Amino acid sequence: MPLRLPSALTPSGSVSPGAGPEGEATPTRAAWLNWVDRTGDFWIVGVLGLMVLVFGVLAPDLFTRASWLNTSQYAVEFLLLAIGQTFVIITGGIDLSDGAVLGFTGMVSGVVMQSMLASHENTLFTTIVGFAVALALGAFIGFVNGYLITRLKLPPFIVTLGTLTAIGAAPSLVNGGNEIVNLPPQIGTLGTATILGGWIYATVLIAAVACVIMGLALHRTRYGLRTFAIGSNNVGARRSGINVNRHLVMVYTVSGTLAGLAGMMVTANFDTATPVAGQNDELSAIAAVVIGGASLFGGRGTMLGTVVGTFIIALLVTGLVLVGVNGSWEQVATGIIVVAAVALDQVRLRLAER
Amino acid sequence: MVADEPRFGDGGGPRDADGPGRQAGTDGGVAVDGEVPVIAVRGITKHFGSIQALRGVDLDVRRGEVVGLVGDNGAGKSTLVNILSGALQPNGGTILVDGKAVTFGSSLEARRLGIETVYQDLSLAPDLSVWANIFLGREETVKGPLRVFGWLDRRAMARSAEADLERTRIRIGSVSSLAGRLSGGQRQAIAVGRAVAWGSKVILMDEPTAALGVEQQERVGQLVRSVCENGVPVLFISHNLPQVHKICDRVVVLFQGRVVANLRPAESSVDEIVAWITGAAMGGARSGL
């Protein structure tokens, strides 16, 4: 039997004048909003392009292989942290601890590798154990973060701030706060090896692979969809049967694991495990994610945006150095871009809700 | 043909032989005609600490029925709905689905039994597409090796979401638009459409019109009737008594944790319902009334 249905439930075109109090989206407004949405997704790519152009004009050296290698290598640690951070931020959380986890895991795995070498262990095996230690330790710290956040219902900001503070001091306690230089040769090789005719560092390749895998997980799998759902409507996600607590623990565990991997990449990069590695990196990672269009309120963000955001930060550093400006200006510029990105995001939201 | 035509005049059988408004706690419309209720609760009790929210509630919902559940604040409506949707567990009593006693420890288990809830806040994720909202928690994955990773079959979900909404004559435009970008009425339609798509037994609607304007309340009422025409009964919880009176086949009144009346709108006025809600109908000697 055909049913006559309320016009509020039919396409906007058929809405009679004087529709419901919320009003209906007219086709013209929808088209205009779509345009805002599309720009919103791509404006940041334009910023990156503009930066390449400006730095390129000021310092043509930017377009050399050496410059590219520097920039991309510099981006590795931020990218790995930002990947995990993207998931965390999309759930509506934040992980302030990942820079500290990077430094801590790097040092602990350095100590383990050093002592294994001292007892004449096979160097390849030592390297593998070093990686395993870093990843497992990172995963464990992330798990503890997630556990405290979900079981004790503490705000992610507080929990990860605590982890940052506690773990942040640890690298200086491990090995008496000294750098560890006695590492397996494979670590140094990993840091300097290149592929594709010397255009891509092995560490960059590893970060890129992690990025692609996690990007697909975020945008193409059930895991990713639920990550968005939790950030978008936590209560609704619970009602729909999603195990929100388990999912969040997983998200923080992955973030910690990636921080462990980043710790190994930094160690490989310098062929040294250093206690200062990763300090304040979490802020750059969060900045990269936010510049990439993620909302700190959760529910929104893209892996592509995070990649672009990471490269904007990396390019600021190498670009400013090439231009001959003190590298510390990078922090000033990053700060401005973060605020601008969030402000623009808010404007978009307000436009969309109007 | 006209879905919004109230059906309470159609003489649906002598379900309440001894007339409307029986007193005190044992009767929420217990089947008289032998048909097994789709969902039935018997003697449900629930207390929160020393507060007795439900004191033995009986309620039946049969196929093709819209049952209104009304009562003053604190009468136990939300508690009962939360128990039926699996969010709360009762302290005593039984829930029967198709005559079989069931227990559910979570809303997921209730949903697996075909009990869907349309929440007052609609429970939609504004940043997700329409199809993702409809399939949230029950996502379809592709067949083949990628299944291990939970690889979503987005196309299949979009297609069936479209079909689901089509079946209930709900048109949203594109099922890939974000839920947060739709109008209030369209969002309401998604929430109802989702419940209809999955709710094979009964649909609970918790204050579905509380946040809506008058005209949209009307539309939701029509939608409820049309859902019911498709065979799935609806338990409609609302404060909006004129609307309850208009669209429901039966109205069950809760008062202080008990079912105090089971009325048929065709035979009872809104004022009568109000009298039961306030307790005035039970002896009338209550002070201040």
Side-chain angles (χ1 to χ4, degrees):
Chain A
M1 184 162 92
L3 303 168
R4 197 179 63 191
L5 264 201
S7 61
L9 313 173
T10 54
S12 50
S14 63
V15 170
S16 55
E22 282 86 355
E24 303 288 334
T26 63
T28 44
R29 202 190 80 160
W32 175 70
L33 273 180
N34 283 343
W35 184 83
V36 173
D37 282 349
R38 272 196 297 272
T39 338
D41 290 343
F42 292 112
W43 74 276
I44 203 68
V45 181
V47 171
L48 180 61
L50 199 68
M51 282 172 57
V52 171
L53 215 66
V54 170
F55 282 128
V57 169
L58 293 176
D61 282 354
L62 186 72
F63 300 112
T64 60
R65 187 176 78 171
S67 159
W68 157 250
L69 282 176
N70 270 335
T71 311
S72 59
Q73 189 177 46
Y74 183 73
V76 165
E77 64 183 284
F78 299 111
L79 185 56
L80 285 171
L81 297 185
I83 293 169
Q85 196 76 246
T86 304
F87 281 78
V88 170
I89 286 179
I90 287 173
T91 65
I94 197 157
D95 187 355
L96 294 173
S97 72
D98 59 8
V101 173
L102 186 163
F104 183 55
T105 54
M107 279 303 279
V108 171
S109 105
V111 168
V112 168
M113 288 191 287
Q114 189 182 42
S115 57
M116 282 178 75
L117 289 183
S119 53
H120 305 291
E121 202 59 75
N122 172 297
T123 56
L124 179 63
F125 179 64
T126 302
T127 308
I128 293 168
V129 171
F131 264 87
V133 165
L135 295 186
L137 187 61
F140 176 72
I141 298 170
F143 175 83
V144 170
N145 277 338
Y147 189 86
L148 292 174
I149 288 164
T150 55
R151 301 306 140 120
L152 300 186
K153 308 212 181 302
L154 300 174
F157 186 90
I158 300 299
V159 171
T160 57
L161 182 65
T163 315
L164 159 68
T165 315
I167 306 279
S172 310
L173 303 176
V174 179
N175 202 38
N178 297 314
E179 290 185 339
I180 299 163
V181 291
N182 190 15
L183 296 171
Q186 283 86 351
I187 292 289
T189 309
L190 179 68
T192 49
T194 55
I195 56 160
L196 288 182
W199 279 85
I200 303 279
Y201 276 117
T203 51
V204 174
L205 178 71
I206 290 172
V209 169
C211 194
V212 169
I213 290 174
M214 295 307 287
L216 291 174
L218 182 63
H219 295 295
R220 285 293 177 270
T221 70
R222 177 164 49 202
Y223 179 78
L225 186 70
R226 293 180 169 189
T227 302
F228 280 100
I230 289 168
S232 190
N233 184 344
N234 192 299
V235 175
R238 279 174 210 274
R239 285 175 185 156
S240 72
I242 295 172
N243 190 334
V244 172
N245 285 355
R246 198 177 64 193
H247 197 101
L248 286 177
V249 170
M250 185 80 166
V251 163
Y252 284 93
T253 304
V254 169
S255 178
T257 311
L258 286 165
L261 181 61
M264 289 308 289
M265 294 299 106
V266 174
T267 302
N269 192 2
F270 296 112
D271 200 7
T272 304
T274 156
V276 296
Q279 278 179 10
N280 295 332
D281 275 9
E282 65 279 353
L283 298 180
S284 300
I286 293 165
V289 175
V290 171
I291 291 172
S295 163
L296 287 171
F297 298 104
R300 282 183 307 123
T302 63
M303 194 54 76
L304 198 63
T306 293
V307 173
V308 174
T310 305
F311 269 91
I312 283 179
I313 288 175
L315 185 65
L316 270 177
V317 175
T318 46
L320 288 172
V321 169
L322 279 179
V323 175
V325 176
N326 186 327
S328 295
W329 282 102
E330 173 264 338
Q331 290 191 16
V332 178
T334 304
I336 293 171
I337 292 185
V338 166
V339 174
V342 174
L344 193 97
D345 189 53
Q346 290 300 310
V347 171
R348 280 177 59 211
L349 267 182
R350 241 167 278 156
L351 284 177
E353 278 161 9
R354 206 169 60 190
Chain B
M1 222 177 320
V2 180
D4 58 335
E5 190 63 49
R7 298 195 316 159
F8 47 70
D10 65 2
R15 283 182 199 146
D16 291 290
D18 34 70
R22 277 168 300 176
Q23 196 144 347
T26 50
D27 176 37
V30 177
V32 182
D33 55 7
E35 185 196 347
V36 178
V38 176
I39 185 163
V41 302
R42 292 285 176 266
I44 290 282
T45 59
K46 177 73 186 176
H47 59 81
F48 302 99
S50 61
I51 297 172
Q52 194 75 30
L54 295 178
R55 305 159 187 266
V57 169
D58 290 2
L59 176 73
D60 284 6
V61 180
R62 286 182 218 87
R63 195 147 190 82
E65 250 190 335
V66 177
V67 178
L69 183 63
V70 299
D72 212 345
N73 291 337
K77 296 189 308 275
S78 320
T79 309
L80 184 57
V81 170
N82 282 330
I83 286 171
L84 287 176
S85 69
L88 287 177
Q89 279 69 53
N91 297 119
T94 43
I95 302 171
L96 302 144
V97 172
D98 282 338
K100 281 193 283 284
V102 294
T103 53
F104 12 81
S106 69
S107 51
L108 186 62
E109 288 172 40
R111 286 172 24 155
R112 285 207 179 111
L113 289 168
I115 301 168
E116 283 288 318
T117 310
V118 179
Y119 293 91
Q120 186 175 348
D121 64 7
L122 303 183
S123 220
L124 297 175
D127 303 295
L128 295 187
S129 63
V130 172
W131 65 257
N133 269 291
I134 287 177
F135 278 88
L136 196 56
R138 294 176 274 217
E139 303 87 351
E140 279 177 17
T141 50
V142 293
K143 288 156 191 67
L146 283 172
R147 191 190 180 86
V148 189
F149 303 107
W151 197 271
L152 297 172
D153 195 342
R154 297 153 64 93
R155 198 168 300 170
M157 282 189 281
R159 250 201 320 265
S160 23
E162 232 160 80
D164 287 338
L165 294 176
E166 186 66 31
R167 205 165 49 224
T168 47
R169 308 292 147 96
I170 297 165
R171 292 203 188 77
I172 298 295
S174 167
V175 289
S176 28
S177 38
L178 300 183
R181 285 293 159 80
L182 301 174
S183 74
Q186 288 173 314
R187 282 201 292 266
Q188 184 96 41
I190 301 170
V192 175
R194 173 169 65 182
V196 173
W198 299 102
S200 51
K201 294 290 181 221
V202 63
I203 294 171
L204 313 175
M205 293 199 183
D206 189 6
E207 303 276 6
T209 60
L212 296 180
V214 174
E215 187 163 345
Q216 290 205 326
Q217 290 182 8
E218 196 71 11
R219 289 171 183 156
V220 171
Q222 294 165 3
L223 187 60
V224 168
R225 290 305 326 178
S226 72
V227 164
C228 179
E229 303 282 340
N230 289 353
V232 179
V234 176
L235 186 62
F236 188 82
I237 294 90
S238 181
H239 268 121
N240 185 339
L241 298 182
Q243 184 175 33
V244 166
H245 190 267
K246 187 175 168 202
I247 67 170
C248 294
D249 299 305
R250 257 184 328 118
V251 180
V252 173
V253 184
L254 278 178
F255 183 79
Q256 293 180 352
R258 289 196 177 89
V259 173
V260 292
N262 182 27
L263 313 164
R264 296 177 63 76
E267 299 153 3
S268 329
S269 67
V270 172
D271 287 344
E272 243 178 291
I273 299 177
V274 171
W276 283 104
I277 289 174
T278 58
M282 298 183 301
R286 290 164 53 84
S287 60
L289 287 170

